[in-house]
Amino acid sequence: MTTPWGEFSLARFPEDQRDRLRAWDASDEYLLRHLADQDVVLSGTVVVLGDRWGALVTALAQHAPVQITDSYLAQEATRVNLARNGIEPGTVSLLTTQDVPPERIDVLLVRVPKSLALLEDQLLRLAPAVHEGTVVVGTGMVKEIHTSTLDLFERILGPTRTSLAVKKARLIFCTPDPSLERPANPWPYSYTLPEGIGPVSGRMVVNHAGVFCADRLDIGTRFFLAHLPRTRGERRVVDLGCGNGVVGTAVALADPAAEVLFVDESFQAVASAEATYQANGVPGHAEFRVGDGLAGVPSGSVDLVLNNPPFHSHQATTDATAWRMFTGARRALRPGGELWVIGNRHLGYHVKLRRLFGNSELVASDPKFVVLKAVKR
Ligand SMILES: C[S@@+](CC[C@H](N)C(=O)[O-])C[C@H]1O[C@@H](n2cnc3c(N)ncnc32)[C@H](O)[C@@H]1O
């Protein structure tokens, strides 16, 4: 990436040799060029919110920025990218969306996140640290910036306008108005689950901003809950890509002897899963871990993996993550251990499972979803 601060070599994390997608885009370049062209003073505390793969903080490393992200993969990418460009790890402070933000922010750079809820929550959390003189600049691709996005900046921080589009990217300029009466933060959001979904019927689910399907039970998850394995006993279960933790909590409630590991790459998700679990006073043992799939889980140590893989419109990304999750599950399962997957029928997960495990059984189906089981032989 060529920037006014020099040239940087950047990669996504984990690097996919088959699919070398760039680790930055036109919105990162536009923001960096704007900062240089306008001689924006990058002193005091510079905060970068939502940097996708660490491109922004790597380029701005000499200004000792603070990065705030919800994504473990983004944080790891940043660590790797700083190292590959010879930047000392301590130069950039790496915070998560769950950490206490800096007390005073002098420059706030926002790579607009996919989730409007996450943007709302984060702007509300950061607003008390923003002062009249804070420079606030947002950036994103035109298709990611909506009227609702600008409304959030306007309602939470102050008067907001946008730039012209350049290479399908746009900047957001916001002039902080500390006298604004800010709305209360609606996150985390809790609701009661419907009846008829097994052990979590009528239970509470807690959602931090940005988690998958935060305001209602996803219909795929609902179908999965109705068809979870009925075996019980002392065993190690993983809720892989746990989101708000409703699936793992259902297992823990039905089977107090089970030890459940909740894993997600989103800090907001793991915090939600832990809060959901706590809110229901579940007996038994649980562990909550932010990480990339089953990385770090010992081989052959797990009896059951439950997985509703992420599904985005970017088909290539979708396939790669599901494939990595299934591969990780195969490694982490003991012989005879099972991977249970819920997916949209058209995604054809059975093909992947057959290739990896040599078997795939249809447990349940409706016109939209399938629940599949693969056994490690
Ligand atoms: C479709 S959601 C399922 C959430 C929840 N299990 C449910 O059914 O409601 C997929 C989840 O996978 C998580 N995820 C995506 N990539 C991941 C990765 N590499 N490692 C762990 N979790 C990941 C997402 O953050 C998201 O919470």
Side-chain angles (χ1 to χ4, degrees):
M1 177 175 72
T2 305
T3 80
W5 283 266
E7 278 197 15
F8 300 92
S9 156
L10 301 167
R12 294 188 177 200
F13 181 90
E15 260 192 281
D16 185 344
Q17 300 301 338
R18 291 172 310 160
D19 193 5
R20 290 189 163 233
L21 295 167
R22 269 196 340 179
W24 73 95
D25 64 19
S27 69
D28 296 315
E29 292 172 322
Y30 195 2
L31 174 63
L32 292 169
R33 212 169 330 108
H34 165 81
L35 297 175
D37 288 352
Q38 299 301 312
D39 283 328
V40 173
V41 180
L42 295 167
S43 62
T45 304
V46 177
V47 169
V48 179
L49 175 65
D51 197 4
R52 296 275 161 95
W53 306 100
L56 293 172
V57 292
T58 302
L60 298 174
Q62 62 185 262
H63 305 284
V66 179
Q67 183 195 63
I68 302 178
T69 180
D70 172 38
S71 164
Y72 171 85
L73 298 181
Q75 202 176 66
E76 283 307 293
T78 305
R79 285 201 179 93
V80 173
N81 285 328
L82 290 173
R84 69 196 283 155
N85 290 284
I87 299 163
E88 282 291 313
T91 316
V92 177
S93 310
L94 302 180
L95 297 187
T96 82
T97 45
Q98 287 287 312
D99 290 327
V100 176
E103 273 177 16
R104 182 184 164 91
I105 299 174
D106 301 293
V107 180
L108 175 59
L109 307 174
V110 182
R111 175 66 174 88
V112 170
K114 288 197 187 105
S115 159
L116 197 64
L118 184 60
L119 181 64
E120 176 184 40
D121 174 64
Q122 291 301 305
L123 290 184
L124 283 167
R125 280 168 61 93
L126 300 182
V130 169
H131 53 86
E132 217 166 3
T134 306
V135 177
V136 181
V137 189
T139 192
M141 300 308 290
V142 169
K143 60 177 189 293
E144 299 166 335
I145 299 177
H146 312 282
T147 315
S148 48
T149 317
L150 305 175
D151 280 352
L152 279 184
F153 278 90
E154 185 106 16
R155 269 195 307 125
I156 299 169
L157 294 180
T160 300
R161 62 190 176 84
T162 54
S163 71
L164 292 173
V166 173
K167 288 201 211 156
K168 298 189 182 158
R170 204 185 273 291
L171 299 179
I172 298 170
F173 304 115
C174 175
T175 312
D177 174 2
S179 70
L180 263 191
E181 247 187 61
R182 284 190 298 275
N185 193 339
W187 301 98
Y189 172 71
S190 304
Y191 68 89
T192 306
L193 289 162
E195 294 298 328
I197 50 167
V200 279
S201 297
R203 295 284 186 157
M204 173 87 94
V205 61
V206 185
N207 299 269
H208 283 276
V211 300
F212 172 72
C213 225
D215 55 351
R216 66 193 185 287
L217 184 63
D218 170 63
I219 48 168
T221 307
R222 185 185 187 122
F223 191 65
F224 203 22
L225 287 170
H227 298 282
L228 290 178
R230 293 188 194 282
T231 42
R232 302 279 182 265
E234 262 181 49
R235 57 202 175 126
R236 192 156 164 81
V237 180
V238 182
D239 181 352
L240 174 57
C242 62
N244 59 23
V246 66
V247 172
T249 300
V251 171
L253 282 165
D255 185 6
E259 197 180 312
V260 184
L261 169 65
F262 295 80
V263 188
D264 205 290
E265 81 89 24
S266 150
F267 294 95
Q268 298 285 96
V270 174
S272 306
E274 190 158 6
T276 297
Y277 186 88
Q278 305 289 352
N280 290 291
V282 188
H285 304 285
E287 194 190 324
F288 302 88
R289 192 185 292 184
V290 179
D292 179 18
L294 289 157
V297 174
S299 301
S301 66
V302 172
D303 300 289
L304 174 66
V305 175
L306 302 169
N307 183 214
N308 179 4
F311 172 66
H312 305 295
S313 54
H314 194 321
Q315 197 58 40
T317 313
T318 306
D319 266 334
T321 309
W323 182 255
R324 279 196 305 115
M325 285 179 156
F326 299 167
T327 313
R330 188 171 178 283
R331 185 193 55 75
L333 285 167
R334 62 157 172 81
E338 297 175 359
L339 165 64
W340 287 52
V341 175
I342 168 90
N344 267 299
R345 184 179 273 286
H346 70 86
L347 290 172
Y349 286 150
H350 63 284
V351 179
K352 285 188 171 56
L353 294 178
R354 254 184 227 138
R355 260 180 67 193
L356 267 171
F357 289 77
N359 65 85
S360 164
E361 185 187 315
L362 181 68
V363 174
S365 70
D366 74 0
K368 202 154 183 237
F369 298 103
V370 289
V371 174
L372 302 166
K373 169 174 112 172
V375 183
K376 177 158 170 187
R377 304 263 192 240

mmCIF file of all heavy atoms in Angstrom, residues 3-30:
data_model
loop_
_atom_site.group_PDB
_atom_site.id
_atom_site.type_symbol
_atom_site.label_atom_id
_atom_site.label_comp_id
_atom_site.label_asym_id
_atom_site.label_seq_id
_atom_site.Cartn_x
_atom_site.Cartn_y
_atom_site.Cartn_z
ATOM 1 N N THR A 3 1.375 5.114 0.503
ATOM 2 C CA THR A 3 0.707 6.185 1.258
ATOM 3 C C THR A 3 1.671 7.360 1.406
ATOM 4 O O THR A 3 2.879 7.216 1.159
ATOM 5 C CB THR A 3 0.346 5.711 2.688
ATOM 6 O OG1 THR A 3 1.543 5.788 3.504
ATOM 7 C CG2 THR A 3 -0.170 4.292 2.724
ATOM 8 N N PRO A 4 1.167 8.520 1.841
ATOM 9 C CA PRO A 4 2.074 9.643 2.083
ATOM 10 C C PRO A 4 3.101 9.326 3.189
ATOM 11 O O PRO A 4 4.085 10.036 3.339
ATOM 12 C CB PRO A 4 1.120 10.758 2.535
ATOM 13 C CG PRO A 4 -0.216 10.384 1.981
ATOM 14 C CD PRO A 4 -0.254 8.892 2.007
ATOM 15 N N TRP A 5 2.872 8.282 3.967
ATOM 16 C CA TRP A 5 3.807 7.887 5.045
ATOM 17 C C TRP A 5 4.787 6.812 4.590
ATOM 18 O O TRP A 5 5.556 6.288 5.379
ATOM 19 C CB TRP A 5 3.036 7.398 6.269
ATOM 20 C CG TRP A 5 2.439 8.514 7.067
ATOM 21 C CD1 TRP A 5 2.995 9.132 8.149
ATOM 22 C CD2 TRP A 5 1.192 9.154 6.836
ATOM 23 N NE1 TRP A 5 2.162 10.132 8.593
ATOM 24 C CE2 TRP A 5 1.054 10.167 7.814
ATOM 25 C CE3 TRP A 5 0.165 8.998 5.889
ATOM 26 C CZ2 TRP A 5 -0.065 11.012 7.875
ATOM 27 C CZ3 TRP A 5 -0.936 9.835 5.955
ATOM 28 C CH2 TRP A 5 -1.041 10.823 6.935
ATOM 29 N N GLY A 6 4.699 6.434 3.325
ATOM 30 C CA GLY A 6 5.616 5.420 2.801
ATOM 31 C C GLY A 6 4.856 4.229 2.233
ATOM 32 O O GLY A 6 3.620 4.242 2.147
ATOM 33 N N GLU A 7 5.620 3.208 1.855
ATOM 34 C CA GLU A 7 5.015 1.997 1.288
ATOM 35 C C GLU A 7 4.999 0.895 2.324
ATOM 36 O O GLU A 7 5.986 0.715 3.047
ATOM 37 C CB GLU A 7 5.843 1.529 0.094
ATOM 38 C CG GLU A 7 5.492 2.277 -1.149
ATOM 39 C CD GLU A 7 5.982 1.574 -2.400
ATOM 40 O OE1 GLU A 7 6.344 0.376 -2.324
ATOM 41 O OE2 GLU A 7 6.002 2.245 -3.431
ATOM 42 N N PHE A 8 3.915 0.172 2.383
ATOM 43 C CA PHE A 8 3.791 -0.877 3.396
ATOM 44 C C PHE A 8 3.355 -2.184 2.748
ATOM 45 O O PHE A 8 2.550 -2.189 1.825
ATOM 46 C CB PHE A 8 2.770 -0.445 4.468
ATOM 47 C CG PHE A 8 3.167 0.825 5.166
ATOM 48 C CD1 PHE A 8 2.731 2.053 4.688
ATOM 49 C CD2 PHE A 8 4.019 0.795 6.264
ATOM 50 C CE1 PHE A 8 3.130 3.244 5.309
ATOM 51 C CE2 PHE A 8 4.416 1.963 6.885
ATOM 52 C CZ PHE A 8 3.973 3.200 6.409
ATOM 53 N N SER A 9 3.915 -3.260 3.278
ATOM 54 C CA SER A 9 3.526 -4.582 2.806
ATOM 55 C C SER A 9 2.497 -5.128 3.802
ATOM 56 O O SER A 9 2.772 -5.219 4.998
ATOM 57 C CB SER A 9 4.792 -5.451 2.769
ATOM 58 O OG SER A 9 4.442 -6.795 2.863
ATOM 59 N N LEU A 10 1.313 -5.462 3.313
ATOM 60 C CA LEU A 10 0.206 -5.828 4.217
ATOM 61 C C LEU A 10 -0.466 -7.120 3.779
ATOM 62 O O LEU A 10 -0.584 -7.388 2.587
ATOM 63 C CB LEU A 10 -0.858 -4.723 4.206
ATOM 64 C CG LEU A 10 -0.417 -3.324 4.623
ATOM 65 C CD1 LEU A 10 -1.476 -2.299 4.246
ATOM 66 C CD2 LEU A 10 -0.151 -3.267 6.121
ATOM 67 N N ALA A 11 -0.914 -7.893 4.756
ATOM 68 C CA ALA A 11 -1.653 -9.125 4.444
ATOM 69 C C ALA A 11 -2.830 -9.260 5.397
ATOM 70 O O ALA A 11 -2.831 -8.688 6.481
ATOM 71 C CB ALA A 11 -0.732 -10.329 4.584
ATOM 72 N N ARG A 12 -3.809 -10.032 4.961
ATOM 73 C CA ARG A 12 -4.923 -10.360 5.855
ATOM 74 C C ARG A 12 -4.465 -11.450 6.815
ATOM 75 O O ARG A 12 -3.385 -12.009 6.662
ATOM 76 C CB ARG A 12 -6.122 -10.863 5.053
ATOM 77 C CG ARG A 12 -6.696 -9.781 4.171
ATOM 78 C CD ARG A 12 -7.982 -10.234 3.541
ATOM 79 N NE ARG A 12 -8.556 -9.146 2.757
ATOM 80 C CZ ARG A 12 -9.822 -9.070 2.393
ATOM 81 N NH1 ARG A 12 -10.654 -10.030 2.715
ATOM 82 N NH2 ARG A 12 -10.263 -8.053 1.691
ATOM 83 N N PHE A 13 -5.310 -11.757 7.783
ATOM 84 C CA PHE A 13 -4.990 -12.851 8.697
ATOM 85 C C PHE A 13 -6.212 -13.742 8.853
ATOM 86 O O PHE A 13 -7.303 -13.234 9.091
ATOM 87 C CB PHE A 13 -4.586 -12.311 10.073
ATOM 88 C CG PHE A 13 -4.220 -13.404 11.042
ATOM 89 C CD1 PHE A 13 -2.923 -13.850 11.149
ATOM 90 C CD2 PHE A 13 -5.211 -14.014 11.814
ATOM 91 C CE1 PHE A 13 -2.595 -14.879 12.012
ATOM 92 C CE2 PHE A 13 -4.896 -15.050 12.682
ATOM 93 C CZ PHE A 13 -3.580 -15.471 12.777
ATOM 94 N N PRO A 14 -6.078 -15.062 8.779
ATOM 95 C CA PRO A 14 -4.864 -15.745 8.346
ATOM 96 C C PRO A 14 -4.695 -15.591 6.836
ATOM 97 O O PRO A 14 -5.688 -15.453 6.124
ATOM 98 C CB PRO A 14 -5.136 -17.199 8.735
ATOM 99 C CG PRO A 14 -6.622 -17.324 8.747
ATOM 100 C CD PRO A 14 -7.176 -15.987 9.101
ATOM 101 N N GLU A 15 -3.478 -15.640 6.367
ATOM 102 C CA GLU A 15 -3.236 -15.493 4.936
ATOM 103 C C GLU A 15 -3.762 -16.717 4.215
ATOM 104 O O GLU A 15 -3.534 -17.836 4.653
ATOM 105 C CB GLU A 15 -1.729 -15.365 4.691
ATOM 106 C CG GLU A 15 -1.309 -13.933 4.484
ATOM 107 C CD GLU A 15 0.104 -13.816 3.963
ATOM 108 O OE1 GLU A 15 1.024 -13.943 4.794
ATOM 109 O OE2 GLU A 15 0.273 -13.606 2.757
ATOM 110 N N ASP A 16 -4.486 -16.504 3.131
ATOM 111 C CA ASP A 16 -5.021 -17.613 2.355
ATOM 112 C C ASP A 16 -4.280 -17.636 1.018
ATOM 113 O O ASP A 16 -4.467 -16.753 0.191
ATOM 114 C CB ASP A 16 -6.531 -17.406 2.148
ATOM 115 C CG ASP A 16 -7.176 -18.595 1.456
ATOM 116 O OD1 ASP A 16 -6.433 -19.420 0.876
ATOM 117 O OD2 ASP A 16 -8.414 -18.697 1.499
ATOM 118 N N GLN A 17 -3.450 -18.642 0.834
ATOM 119 C CA GLN A 17 -2.608 -18.703 -0.372
ATOM 120 C C GLN A 17 -3.448 -18.791 -1.647
ATOM 121 O O GLN A 17 -3.052 -18.298 -2.693
ATOM 122 C CB GLN A 17 -1.654 -19.909 -0.301
ATOM 123 C CG GLN A 17 -0.711 -19.891 0.893
ATOM 124 C CD GLN A 17 0.193 -18.663 0.955
ATOM 125 O OE1 GLN A 17 0.439 -18.014 -0.051
ATOM 126 N NE2 GLN A 17 0.664 -18.324 2.149
ATOM 127 N N ARG A 18 -4.668 -19.410 -1.534
ATOM 128 C CA ARG A 18 -5.496 -19.569 -2.739
ATOM 129 C C ARG A 18 -6.221 -18.287 -3.090
ATOM 130 O O ARG A 18 -6.685 -18.086 -4.184
ATOM 131 C CB ARG A 18 -6.574 -20.645 -2.489
ATOM 132 C CG ARG A 18 -6.055 -22.055 -2.367
ATOM 133 C CD ARG A 18 -7.201 -22.946 -1.921
ATOM 134 N NE ARG A 18 -7.876 -22.372 -0.752
ATOM 135 C CZ ARG A 18 -9.090 -22.667 -0.356
ATOM 136 N NH1 ARG A 18 -9.824 -23.504 -1.029
ATOM 137 N NH2 ARG A 18 -9.612 -22.104 0.726
ATOM 138 N N ASP A 19 -6.377 -17.434 -2.095
ATOM 139 C CA ASP A 19 -7.284 -16.304 -2.255
ATOM 140 C C ASP A 19 -6.637 -15.064 -1.652
ATOM 141 O O ASP A 19 -6.967 -14.652 -0.553
ATOM 142 C CB ASP A 19 -8.589 -16.661 -1.502
ATOM 143 C CG ASP A 19 -9.698 -15.715 -1.870
ATOM 144 O OD1 ASP A 19 -9.481 -14.879 -2.748
ATOM 145 O OD2 ASP A 19 -10.784 -15.832 -1.270
ATOM 146 N N ARG A 20 -5.691 -14.502 -2.388
ATOM 147 C CA ARG A 20 -4.907 -13.410 -1.815
ATOM 148 C C ARG A 20 -5.642 -12.080 -1.976
ATOM 149 O O ARG A 20 -5.333 -11.285 -2.870
ATOM 150 C CB ARG A 20 -3.544 -13.356 -2.477
ATOM 151 C CG ARG A 20 -2.699 -14.549 -2.073
ATOM 152 C CD ARG A 20 -1.291 -14.382 -2.547
ATOM 153 N NE ARG A 20 -0.447 -15.305 -1.807
ATOM 154 C CZ ARG A 20 0.640 -14.948 -1.164
ATOM 155 N NH1 ARG A 20 1.017 -13.705 -1.144
ATOM 156 N NH2 ARG A 20 1.358 -15.848 -0.529
ATOM 157 N N LEU A 21 -6.595 -11.860 -1.098
ATOM 158 C CA LEU A 21 -7.341 -10.606 -1.149
ATOM 159 C C LEU A 21 -6.490 -9.511 -0.509
ATOM 160 O O LEU A 21 -5.754 -9.768 0.432
ATOM 161 C CB LEU A 21 -8.669 -10.763 -0.385
ATOM 162 C CG LEU A 21 -9.638 -11.770 -1.006
ATOM 163 C CD1 LEU A 21 -10.752 -12.101 -0.030
ATOM 164 C CD2 LEU A 21 -10.196 -11.230 -2.304
ATOM 165 N N ARG A 22 -6.646 -8.287 -1.024
ATOM 166 C CA ARG A 22 -5.843 -7.187 -0.486
ATOM 167 C C ARG A 22 -6.243 -6.856 0.945
ATOM 168 O O ARG A 22 -7.397 -7.015 1.329
ATOM 169 C CB ARG A 22 -6.070 -5.926 -1.333
ATOM 170 C CG ARG A 22 -5.093 -5.816 -2.463
ATOM 171 C CD ARG A 22 -5.024 -4.437 -3.073
ATOM 172 N NE ARG A 22 -6.138 -3.548 -2.841
ATOM 173 C CZ ARG A 22 -6.190 -2.308 -3.293
ATOM 174 N NH1 ARG A 22 -5.207 -1.807 -3.991
ATOM 175 N NH2 ARG A 22 -7.242 -1.544 -3.051
ATOM 176 N N ALA A 23 -5.304 -6.398 1.720
ATOM 177 C CA ALA A 23 -5.573 -6.100 3.133
ATOM 178 C C ALA A 23 -5.925 -4.618 3.335
ATOM 179 O O ALA A 23 -5.917 -4.144 4.460
ATOM 180 C CB ALA A 23 -4.362 -6.481 3.969
ATOM 181 N N TRP A 24 -6.198 -3.904 2.272
ATOM 182 C CA TRP A 24 -6.641 -2.508 2.391
ATOM 183 C C TRP A 24 -7.539 -2.215 1.196
ATOM 184 O O TRP A 24 -7.623 -3.011 0.269
ATOM 185 C CB TRP A 24 -5.447 -1.551 2.425
ATOM 186 C CG TRP A 24 -4.752 -1.377 1.111
ATOM 187 C CD1 TRP A 24 -4.968 -0.387 0.177
ATOM 188 C CD2 TRP A 24 -3.744 -2.229 0.548
ATOM 189 N NE1 TRP A 24 -4.149 -0.575 -0.909
ATOM 190 C CE2 TRP A 24 -3.382 -1.693 -0.710
ATOM 191 C CE3 TRP A 24 -3.106 -3.399 0.976
ATOM 192 C CZ2 TRP A 24 -2.427 -2.277 -1.531
ATOM 193 C CZ3 TRP A 24 -2.151 -3.976 0.147
ATOM 194 C CH2 TRP A 24 -1.808 -3.420 -1.079
ATOM 195 N N ASP A 25 -8.228 -1.087 1.240
ATOM 196 C CA ASP A 25 -9.062 -0.726 0.091
ATOM 197 C C ASP A 25 -8.998 0.781 -0.152
ATOM 198 O O ASP A 25 -8.270 1.505 0.531
ATOM 199 C CB ASP A 25 -10.498 -1.248 0.261
ATOM 200 C CG ASP A 25 -11.214 -0.623 1.442
ATOM 201 O OD1 ASP A 25 -10.766 0.451 1.923
ATOM 202 O OD2 ASP A 25 -12.213 -1.189 1.907
ATOM 203 N N ALA A 26 -9.792 1.228 -1.128
ATOM 204 C CA ALA A 26 -9.736 2.643 -1.539
ATOM 205 C C ALA A 26 -10.129 3.573 -0.394
ATOM 206 O O ALA A 26 -9.697 4.732 -0.354
ATOM 207 C CB ALA A 26 -10.658 2.856 -2.733
ATOM 208 N N SER A 27 -10.931 3.085 0.558
ATOM 209 C CA SER A 27 -11.352 3.967 1.653
ATOM 210 C C SER A 27 -10.183 4.224 2.616
ATOM 211 O O SER A 27 -10.055 5.320 3.161
ATOM 212 C CB SER A 27 -12.571 3.396 2.386
ATOM 213 O OG SER A 27 -12.221 2.253 3.098
ATOM 214 N N ASP A 28 -9.318 3.227 2.813
ATOM 215 C CA ASP A 28 -8.113 3.445 3.637
ATOM 216 C C ASP A 28 -7.210 4.466 2.935
ATOM 217 O O ASP A 28 -6.694 5.402 3.554
ATOM 218 C CB ASP A 28 -7.338 2.128 3.821
ATOM 219 C CG ASP A 28 -8.130 1.083 4.593
ATOM 220 O OD1 ASP A 28 -8.732 1.443 5.619
ATOM 221 O OD2 ASP A 28 -8.156 -0.090 4.179
ATOM 222 N N GLU A 29 -7.024 4.266 1.622
ATOM 223 C CA GLU A 29 -6.131 5.163 0.861
ATOM 224 C C GLU A 29 -6.671 6.594 0.856
ATOM 225 O O GLU A 29 -5.907 7.553 1.020
ATOM 226 C CB GLU A 29 -5.996 4.660 -0.583
ATOM 227 C CG GLU A 29 -5.234 3.349 -0.671
ATOM 228 C CD GLU A 29 -5.256 2.746 -2.071
ATOM 229 O OE1 GLU A 29 -6.304 2.833 -2.756
ATOM 230 O OE2 GLU A 29 -4.233 2.186 -2.472
ATOM 231 N N TYR A 30 -7.984 6.727 0.684
ATOM 232 C CA TYR A 30 -8.607 8.058 0.626
ATOM 233 C C TYR A 30 -8.399 8.786 1.963
ATOM 234 O O TYR A 30 -8.009 9.956 2.010
ATOM 235 C CB TYR A 30 -10.096 7.863 0.326
ATOM 236 C CG TYR A 30 -10.865 9.090 -0.111
ATOM 237 C CD1 TYR A 30 -10.258 10.340 -0.284
ATOM 238 C CD2 TYR A 30 -12.244 9.006 -0.380
ATOM 239 C CE1 TYR A 30 -10.990 11.446 -0.698
ATOM 240 C CE2 TYR A 30 -12.981 10.100 -0.790
ATOM 241 C CZ TYR A 30 -12.356 11.322 -0.946
ATOM 242 O OH TYR A 30 -13.090 12.397 -1.349
#
